[in-house]
Amino acid sequence: MPQQIFSLNSTDYQLLGAAITEVRQNGILLIYRDIYRYMRQRTADRYRRATRETPYARRSIGTKQAMSGRIRGKGALFGIDSGKLFGQLTNNVKIDNRGIYIYSDLAYAGKIMELFARKGPFAPDSPLFVDDDDLIFVGNVIADRVNQAIASKLAQSNSK
């Protein structure tokens, strides 16, 4: 679809208001859905990388993980034992008017995130961070949905 340029003149204020209303009614959930999916995937990718590249402490190599019984340092991945933390951090994504939140209610979550931040590939951050690419993606999603709403309202007003 060709991109339409929106300009403000005496009749466009109502069109802009209608477009904003449409984004609030229909587009905002699509924006959240797109951002939610993106953040889940980015967090999962970062977490997987961190588990592969974060070393165990020397004193823990050879000991068993609590839940799985796997031996640390022999194919066991740092920060993955039962998979509960990974599951929560890749599924518990909340978006509201204050921002994007990724959370876990597991008691050991803070300790694992602190260890990732201290010695993992994303140090001094844990795998739970937002970078410039993430911000660009979010900005593009919002702009695309707003532009779609404006184009829809323009098409409706032009067809009358």
Side-chain angles (χ1 to χ4, degrees), residues 46-121:
R46 288 173 177 148
Y47 195 95
R48 286 185 189 106
R49 178 178 169 207
T51 64
R52 289 188 309 269
E53 296 179 23
T54 302
Y56 283 103
R58 280 186 216 228
R59 68 181 180 279
S60 69
I61 293 176
T63 62
K64 287 186 178 183
Q65 291 183 322
M67 298 295 290
S68 67
R70 283 179 277 194
I71 304 297
R72 290 179 181 93
K74 291 191 175 189
L77 299 172
F78 185 89
I80 299 242
D81 187 3
S82 68
K84 287 181 183 177
L85 181 58
F86 176 79
Q88 283 195 355
L89 294 178
T90 55
N91 289 305
N92 293 347
V93 178
K94 180 180 178 183
I95 303 170
D96 64 20
N97 61 347
R98 295 171 293 169
I100 300 170
Y101 302 92
I102 301 169
Y103 60 94
S104 171
D105 60 4
L106 297 172
Y108 58 87
K111 178 66 174 170
I112 296 297
M113 291 300 106
E114 185 270 326
L115 290 170
F116 277 138
R118 188 163 21 110
K119 59 183 183 172

Side-chain angles (χ1 to χ4, degrees), residues 9 22 32 35 51 62 81-82 94 101 109 118 121 135 137 139 142 157:
N9 62 36
E22 184 169 313
Y32 282 2
I35 294 171
T51 64
D81 187 3
S82 68
K94 180 180 178 183
Y101 302 92
R118 188 163 21 110
L135 295 175
F137 177 84
I142 293 167
S157 69

